[in-house]
Each structure stands twice: as structure tokens, then as C-alpha cells.
Amino acid sequence: MFLLLLTVAIILIFYHVSTQYSRRGRILNKLPGPSTFPLIGNLPLFMCSSTKLWKVLRGLTKKYYPISRIWILHYSVVYLSHPDDAEILLSSMKHIEKSRLYDFLHPWLKTGLLTSTGKKWQHRRKMLTPAFHFNVLQQFLDIFVEQGNNLVKNLKSQGDETIQNVVPLFTKYTLNTICETAMGTVLHEADIQNSYRTALTKLVEIMLYRAFRPWLHNKWIFKLLSNGKEYEKYLSVLHNFSRKIIKERKEYHEETENQYLKSISTNNQLISSVVVDDDGIKGQKKRMAMLDHLIAAQKFGKQIDDEGIREEVDTFIFEGHDTTAMAMCFAVLMLAEHKDVQDRVRKEVDYLLDGKNGKITSAEVQNMNYLEQCIKETLRLYPSVPFIARKVNEDLQLKHCFIPAGTIVDLHIFDLHRDPNFWPNPEKYDPDRFLPEKMHNRHPFSYVPFSGGPRNCIGQRFAMLELKALLAHLIYNFIFEPIDNSQDIIFTADLVLRTESPIRVKFISRIK
């Protein structure tokens, strides 16, 4: 027994010394950060609820601005929130690998565009970029308009005044939109939508719980536990959802003898602006979608297999609806709380739409300049993705510190966007911050709601077009009044900006 204890003690001492007194440890321990415990580092700080975790992360960023360091066992993490450091990190092609946190997404998203790195990421990015070309996005405007009209009808059907929890409401329509535009499939069954949303929420909760509990990292141990079994159940729901979409779209092309797939170039050139005839096949729309591009790449160029198609479909459904829904929620809440801004943006929308009987076309969307400012200011205060995490595999010299290879770097976008050194009175909602003359001399990396550099969000123009179209419909048809105040919102740590409680807004139908 004595020898066993001695052996264990020697192993633990060796583990501690090799971690804390290695080159990496010596360099990082010179950086500001909370005191660490032997062996476990700062792990106790993160053994808490997701709401407490959000406060812990923000507290560390504020206390040790602009750089802080933590340890979780032998993993070292550096938190950044300064634009100069953000620019160096995000502009580099060397440091595009996502952190270990994203490894826990692999059972679900595998190595799609969000989680892949190196040559695979470059190949997929090149393959998918044409699907988000401006000419292609213009074809989707009719779908954005249709979903906007459906949203308005839903709200009006509940009376002249209705109070709504906007999170599930907007999520429904952004999920419809991403499936119809990027996947070419219309969701008809509400139960399937609800199952997907529930499974997504629960799966991410379990993933984050697991990430900060090292004894759950081993996949075989995790699978044996109740959380692991729940995770597998929700994972099955998400994968069945994407498999169904892919299967239906492939069947559509088989029935049409792949004639529309041939309109897509197989050498990663621009997707042709083709409008597909509706042959009466239920659930299929006329436009060529991102999924069609992937199917064409498989059929004609063998550039991607079935697993590759599914991982990209899973990635884009998740990223393409959840982030946009939360942006809409906060945009409407901000307008509800700031009546002067709401009146001003409504005046712009009315001016553009009154002569068109409320119908939105590309010309109107392009001229909604103040609405775009409102959206940008919303994304400054409430970025849909509040942090970005990368693994640094080579030494990295930032402005404020030197980061050795093997370190995880987290960029806290939420606090970057509220830095008073770059944003005067940062807590104030002020869309005029995004007037052209005010943006001219601003640090380009002080505002990165869609990330920045080579790994920026491929769908940012898609998201902005969708947001403008959906919000314009709401602004034209309703007056917003706040029920829940933004100052009282409690956030939770998540992959997407999430709140603990509902965000409720009153919608009052306008008399025209």
C-alpha cells in the first residue's frame, strides 16, 4: 500500500511539474490570472451552472483586461478582449484550428466547416463559397419575404395585441428559412421542428457540462452514464433530421434525372442563376440550394461523400438559424426599449414600402440603411456568437503577450464590443455609431460579430439580408413595447448567446 501511494504521489508530482514548470507553463504563469490549485489549476471556478459560468468568464475578462490566463488540469487558456490582439489572431492563416471545446461537437457536426481545419477546411470553404454569392442570395429574398409574411400572419392571428416570448417564435421562422434556402426543403411538420429544437438545446447543455468535467471526457465512460445516454438520444434526433432532408433532396434530383444539378459547375465556379421548375414534388422549392451544390460535387466530381454532406448540412442548419434568431430577438427588444429609434427606423421602412403595398424587393432592402445600422448596433451589444476559441499550435506574439504553442486562446467578443477605449459609453444602444463617417477611423477588429480574417463567417451576407427582410416586415406591421427589460436579462454560457429566462415583447398591430 505504501509503495502504491508513493507511486501515485510521484506520478502526480511529475504531472504538476511537467505542466506548470514546462516552457509553456513558465511563460503563461507570468500572465495575470486567478491563483491556481496544484494539479487541477482553476477547475473549481468552472464547476458551476451555465449562468454562473457566464459571470465567471466575464469577471475574469474584466478583472485582468486585456489578457488573462487560466489552467484547467494541464490545459492552458488565454482570454483576449483587445482589438489589436484579435487582429493578430484572426488574421493569421496559421492559427485557424478550433479549440478542444469544439472536439465535443464532433459526434454531432463531425469535421464540417465549423470544426474542420487545415486542407479539409480550405477545400470545403472553397467548395461552399459560391453558394453564398450575391447573385445566389438575391434568389432567396422571396423566401425571406414569404417567411416574414408568415410571421406577421401568425402574430396578427392572435389579436391586435399579443405578448410573445420571441426566442421560440423567431427560431421557428429562421429554421424554416435556412432549410428552405440552403437545403431546398420546406418544413411542414411542427412536431419535427420542435423535436429538433429540443434536441439541440439539450445536446449543447450536456456538451458544455461535459467539457468542464474532465472525468467525462473519455467517450466510453461518458456513454455509460445517464448524461451520455441522453446525449446519444438527442444526437440521433439531430442526425435523423439532417438525413431526412438530404434523402428527400437526392430523391428530387433522381426524379428530375439530375438535370438541374448539371447547371452547377463542378470546379467550384459560380453557381448558375438557375430557377428550377416546380414539378409538384412536395416540399421542394425552385431555387438551387447549398445542399444541391454539395450533391453536385459528390455526383460529378466525387469531391465529398455522404458523411461529408451530412456534416455540412448539420453545421449550416445549426449555425444558420440559431444565430439569426437570437439577433432578431435582441434587435426587436432594443427597438421596443428605444422608442425614438423604433420611430425613426419605421419612418424609413414606411417610406420604402408604402408605395409598394408593403412588398419588399431587393431595391428596398438595399436602401434600408438605418435598419442595417440598428442591426449592427444590436450585434455589437449582443453578438450571436459571444466568443471564439482557437488552439495555437505555433508560438504566437500578440501585442499584449507572447503565447507559446499548445495554448488555447479564447477571444471574448461580447466584451471586445463593449470596450470603452473603442466604444464611448459602450452600454448605450446607439445605431448612429455605424454611420459611415463614424466607422471610418474605428479599429477594424473592434467589431467582429461574424469573426474576422480568413475564417470569418461564410454566411454573414445571407444573415444580414434575412435579418433586414424579416425585421422590416415586423416594423411595418407592428409597434413593439418591452415586457422584459434588457438590464434584467440573465445570460447563460453557450455556443450561441443565450438567456436563462424568456425575452417577452408586446406586438401591437398598426392601423393603416
Side-chain angles (χ1 to χ4, degrees):
M1 180 60 73
F2 174 76
L3 288 176
L4 178 60
L5 292 174
L6 180 62
T7 301
V8 171
I10 291 172
I11 291 173
L12 292 176
I13 291 170
F14 177 77
Y15 172 84
H16 177 73
V17 170
S18 63
T19 299
Q20 296 294 319
Y21 296 95
S22 63
R23 174 180 178 267
R24 175 165 58 101
R26 292 194 308 272
I27 293 172
L28 292 178
N29 284 331
K30 295 178 182 177
L31 300 181
S35 300
T36 59
F37 292 96
L39 303 176
I40 61 173
N42 302 112
L43 184 60
L45 273 176
F46 303 95
M47 300 286 292
C48 56
S49 67
S50 57
T51 54
K52 179 71 181 299
L53 182 58
W54 173 265
K55 293 177 182 177
V56 168
L57 292 171
R58 288 209 68 203
L60 291 173
T61 303
K62 286 183 176 181
K63 183 176 181 179
Y64 299 107
Y65 173 89
I67 295 285
S68 60
R69 171 272 312 142
I70 65 156
W71 289 92
I72 298 179
L73 300 182
H74 60 284
Y75 298 107
S76 52
V77 185
V78 172
Y79 294 145
L80 313 177
S81 59
H82 193 284
D84 288 341
D85 296 322
E87 181 172 16
I88 295 168
L89 175 69
L90 297 179
S91 298
S92 171
M93 274 298 294
K94 292 182 179 179
H95 307 293
I96 62 170
E97 181 178 341
K98 297 297 180 77
S99 80
R100 178 173 169 75
L101 175 64
Y102 292 84
D103 292 349
F104 298 107
L105 289 172
H106 285 174
W108 170 30
L109 303 179
K110 303 299 181 183
T111 49
L113 198 64
L114 175 65
T115 52
S116 60
T117 190
K119 290 184 178 179
K120 180 174 182 178
W121 172 80
Q122 293 176 17
H123 172 69
R124 290 285 175 85
R125 178 83 181 206
K126 185 177 181 182
M127 180 189 297
L128 290 166
T129 294
F132 293 90
H133 188 276
F134 177 79
N135 291 340
V136 178
L137 296 183
Q138 292 304 302
Q139 298 177 33
F140 295 151
L141 183 59
D142 287 346
I143 296 174
F144 299 152
V145 169
E146 180 185 355
Q147 291 301 327
N149 286 328
N150 291 341
L151 173 56
V152 168
K153 289 177 185 176
N154 181 346
L155 290 169
K156 287 192 172 182
S157 70
Q158 300 178 52
D160 291 338
E161 294 185 10
T162 177
I163 295 174
Q164 295 285 325
N165 175 9
V166 292
V167 177
L169 175 69
F170 293 161
T171 297
K172 172 183 177 180
Y173 291 95
T174 57
L175 182 56
N176 284 343
T177 299
I178 193 66
C179 287
E180 193 167 350
T181 53
M183 307 303 154
T185 300
V186 179
L187 298 179
H188 293 287
E189 301 173 40
D191 288 346
I192 292 177
Q193 269 201 23
N194 294 335
S195 296
Y196 177 87
R197 282 295 309 155
T198 300
L200 173 59
T201 301
K202 295 294 185 182
L203 181 134
V204 173
E205 284 179 4
I206 294 170
M207 186 213 79
L208 289 171
Y209 180 87
R210 181 188 180 195
F212 289 101
R213 285 155 181 83
W215 55 91
L216 299 179
H217 288 188
N218 182 282
K219 65 179 181 179
W220 303 113
I221 294 175
F222 180 62
K223 284 183 177 182
L224 294 174
L225 302 176
S226 59
N227 273 340
K229 292 174 182 177
E230 275 193 79
Y231 184 92
E232 291 296 323
K233 180 182 73 173
Y234 297 129
L235 184 64
S236 178
V237 172
L238 297 179
H239 281 169
N240 287 339
F241 184 85
S242 56
R243 286 191 186 103
K244 182 175 184 293
I245 287 173
I246 296 167
K247 179 175 178 290
E248 289 179 354
R249 197 62 179 171
K250 282 189 170 183
E251 287 174 352
Y252 170 78
H253 288 300
E254 287 172 4
E255 292 177 24
T256 55
E257 298 180 346
N258 299 316
Q259 58 180 307
Y260 305 118
L261 290 182
K262 294 170 185 176
S263 68
I264 300 176
S265 173
T266 59
N267 61 353
N268 293 321
Q269 297 300 313
L270 177 64
I271 297 178
S272 301
S273 297
V274 173
V275 176
V276 178
D277 293 332
D278 188 345
D279 297 312
I281 300 173
K282 184 179 179 181
Q284 307 300 336
K285 297 304 286 184
K286 297 180 179 181
R287 301 153 192 83
M288 301 304 283
M290 183 203 78
L291 176 54
D292 299 316
H293 193 61
L294 294 171
I295 295 171
Q298 180 186 50
K299 184 166 290 291
F300 302 123
K302 300 192 183 301
Q303 300 174 50
I304 191 169
D305 57 15
D306 285 342
E307 185 74 5
I309 292 176
R310 198 199 73 198
E311 64 190 12
E312 296 302 350
V313 168
D314 279 324
T315 296
F316 277 87
I317 292 176
F318 164 55
E319 286 203 299
H321 89 278
D322 226 4
T323 52
T324 310
M326 293 313 297
M328 279 192 66
C329 291
F330 286 108
V332 168
L333 179 61
M334 288 296 97
L335 293 177
E337 290 186 353
H338 299 83
K339 189 175 183 305
D340 57 330
V341 177
Q342 184 182 164
D343 290 344
R344 183 176 166 188
V345 74
R346 183 171 291 110
K347 185 177 180 180
E348 175 184 79
V349 171
D350 284 354
Y351 174 79
L352 292 168
L353 300 189
D354 275 344
K356 302 276 187 176
N357 294 319
K359 181 172 174 57
I360 296 175
T361 66
S362 178
E364 284 73 54
V365 172
Q366 294 302 316
N367 286 312
M368 292 177 182
N369 298 318
Y370 189 62
L371 175 57
E372 184 168 322
Q373 289 174 221
C374 294
I375 293 170
K376 287 180 176 179
E377 175 68 347
T378 298
L379 290 173
R380 181 189 70 82
L381 283 169
Y382 304 103
S384 296
V385 179
F387 71 91
I388 296 170
R390 300 278 174 86
K391 183 180 179 183
V392 174
N393 291 315
E394 297 180 24
D395 291 348
L396 173 62
Q397 179 65 59
L398 299 175
K399 177 178 179 179
H400 293 97
C401 72
F402 175 81
I403 297 180
T407 304
I408 295 166
V409 179
D410 281 7
L411 175 62
H412 287 201
I413 297 174
F414 193 93
D415 290 290
L416 177 81
H417 285 181
R418 294 169 183 247
D419 189 334
N421 296 306
F422 299 90
W423 301 97
N425 198 4
E427 303 295 328
K428 180 183 178 182
Y429 176 75
D430 180 11
D432 282 343
R433 295 180 198 272
F434 289 92
L435 287 168
E437 59 269 25
K438 291 191 177 181
M439 294 171 59
H440 182 66
N441 293 318
R442 187 174 295 146
H443 196 302
F445 283 80
S446 63
Y447 180 74
V448 287
F450 297 102
S451 186
R455 195 149 192 170
N456 66 348
C457 175
I458 193 174
Q460 57 185 291
R461 288 192 297 184
F462 177 102
M464 186 59 74
L465 185 62
E466 179 183 1
L467 284 168
K468 289 172 78 172
L470 293 178
L471 288 169
H473 276 88
L474 292 174
I475 292 164
Y476 189 70
N477 287 279
F478 299 97
I479 294 169
F480 314 142
E481 290 184 359
I483 301 298
D484 297 308
N485 195 293
S486 61
Q487 298 301 315
D488 300 325
I489 287 176
I490 298 173
F491 292 98
T492 65
D494 202 302
L495 297 177
V496 174
L497 192 63
R498 199 80 67 194
T499 62
E500 184 182 47
S501 54
I503 301 175
R504 293 174 300 169
V505 174
K506 180 188 283 189
F507 295 86
I508 304 171
S509 291
R510 298 178 67 199
I511 300 173
K512 289 185 173 292

